[in-house]
Amino acid sequence: MHQKFQELKLKSNLRMPPQKVLQIYNLLDKEGVKIWVDGGWGVDALLEQQTREHADLDIAIDHTQETKMLGLLDTQDYKVVQTNEQTKHQYVLGDGAHLIDVHVFGFDEAGNNVYGIKYSKESLTGTGKINGHEVRCISPEWAVKFHQHAKMGETDRHDLRLLSEKFGISLPAGV
């Protein structure tokens, strides 16, 4: 699929380039910390090409690996820069130039989500590519579900249209 790079208005002036995404992903992966790329970079990973700029990198991580992840990212000068007062399961790390939006989850032995953000096991089955490098990401069907919400903006619609086109996933009217 050949897609024109879209210039969409982002909420932040910061940008998360693909090289930085891979640096973070590889640092964690090398140390045995398993993450899934979510959000806009997750969509572009599924599409196997960058279709727009991204203000941050969204990641999903099991709560059992959260402490190790925080330690590794601390060595790269990432600190908590934003929290959600209603949950300790989602927060933003920053190094002054880049942002990582962290989504923490946990499953019990039966595979039920019992901790944090309500990912399903099925949502954590995607693989994609960023600059030709394979990464774990949210599955296409779940990426579509996660991008459909009451306050959808043009960025969400852009991502949904491209996912629908590539994977044949039906979208609601008006997207």
Side-chain angles (χ1 to χ4, degrees), residues 25-42:
Y25 186 92
N26 291 333
L27 167 73
L28 297 173
D29 200 52
K30 182 180 76 165
E31 296 298 327
V33 176
K34 195 172 183 179
I35 62 168
W36 289 262
V37 179
D38 196 355
W41 268 117

Side-chain angles (χ1 to χ4, degrees), residues 57-80:
L57 166 64
D58 291 82
I59 64 170
I61 184 166
D62 188 287
H63 73 101
T64 60
Q65 297 196 319
E66 181 181 16
T67 300
K68 187 172 182 181
M69 174 213 52
L70 289 170
L72 289 166
L73 291 176
D74 184 62
T75 68
Q76 305 296 306
D77 296 322
Y78 282 91
K79 310 288 184 227
V80 175

Side-chain angles (χ1 to χ4, degrees), residues 13-121:
N13 291 326
L14 298 180
R15 296 293 178 264
M16 179 61 79
Q19 301 85 350
K20 193 65 165 176
V21 171
L22 290 172
Q23 178 189 9
I24 293 163
Y25 186 92
N26 291 333
L27 167 73
L28 297 173
D29 200 52
K30 182 180 76 165
E31 296 298 327
V33 176
K34 195 172 183 179
I35 62 168
W36 289 262
V37 179
D38 196 355
W41 268 117
V43 170
D44 279 358
L46 289 167
L47 297 171
E48 298 187 356
Q49 64 177 326
Q50 185 177 359
T51 64
R52 62 180 178 86
E53 289 190 307
H54 301 276
D56 63 2
L57 166 64
D58 291 82
I59 64 170
I61 184 166
D62 188 287
H63 73 101
T64 60
Q65 297 196 319
E66 181 181 16
T67 300
K68 187 172 182 181
M69 174 213 52
L70 289 170
L72 289 166
L73 291 176
D74 184 62
T75 68
Q76 305 296 306
D77 296 322
Y78 282 91
K79 310 288 184 227
V80 175
V81 296
Q82 182 181 349
T83 61
N84 180 337
E85 294 175 9
Q86 290 147 16
T87 177
K88 61 182 179 180
H89 312 298
Q90 184 175 358
Y91 50 90
V92 178
L93 301 173
D95 68 352
H98 306 97
L99 299 172
I100 305 171
D101 192 352
V102 180
H103 307 262
V104 183
F105 66 86
F107 297 108
D108 64 14
E109 291 162 6
N112 301 306
N113 184 305
V114 294
Y115 185 90
I117 305 300
K118 297 297 179 193
Y119 287 100
S120 69
K121 283 265 189 190

